[in-house]
Amino acid sequence: MSTGISNSPGSRYWRQLYRDALFEIEESKLPARIAEAEKAVVLRAQELFQAVGDNGEETEALDHAMYALHALRSNYRNLGVA
């Protein structure tokens, strides 16, 4: 059961930055997009850690997002672009 916290502005913010990083097509902008999304994910995770209620679903989504962002960064570096 999820609470209204997963629909809060903080939840929408990190999700938007995450999508922006995933779908960035300009290679020169990708490192900044990834860093911005990672920062938002960490900040949101800290908010949820302090929040009361069932945040398991969003916490899991944050874990998956961070994993994907790390993979995206690694792939970017392996291409020799960074």
Side-chain angles (χ1 to χ4, degrees):
M1 178 178 193
S2 58
T3 62
I5 195 161
S6 64
N7 292 323
S8 72
S11 178
R12 289 189 299 273
Y13 180 69
W14 78 260
R15 290 174 194 271
Q16 183 60 52
L17 292 177
Y18 172 60
R19 280 190 293 271
D20 291 347
L22 289 180
F23 296 109
E24 180 58 62
I25 58 174
E26 288 188 43
E27 291 178 2
S28 64
K29 292 183 179 180
L30 189 56
R33 292 274 193 195
I34 293 169
E36 187 177 32
E38 287 174 336
K39 182 177 177 181
V41 166
V42 168
L43 289 173
R44 183 61 177 161
Q46 290 172 342
E47 288 175 1
L48 291 180
F49 181 75
Q50 297 173 0
V52 176
D54 179 12
N55 304 314
E57 192 173 308
E58 187 175 0
T59 300
E60 186 174 345
L62 288 163
D63 288 341
H64 290 289
M66 189 60 83
Y67 179 82
L69 290 167
H70 283 261
L72 183 59
R73 180 184 303 281
S74 177
N75 189 40
Y76 179 78
R77 287 182 177 155
N78 288 338
L79 291 174
V81 181

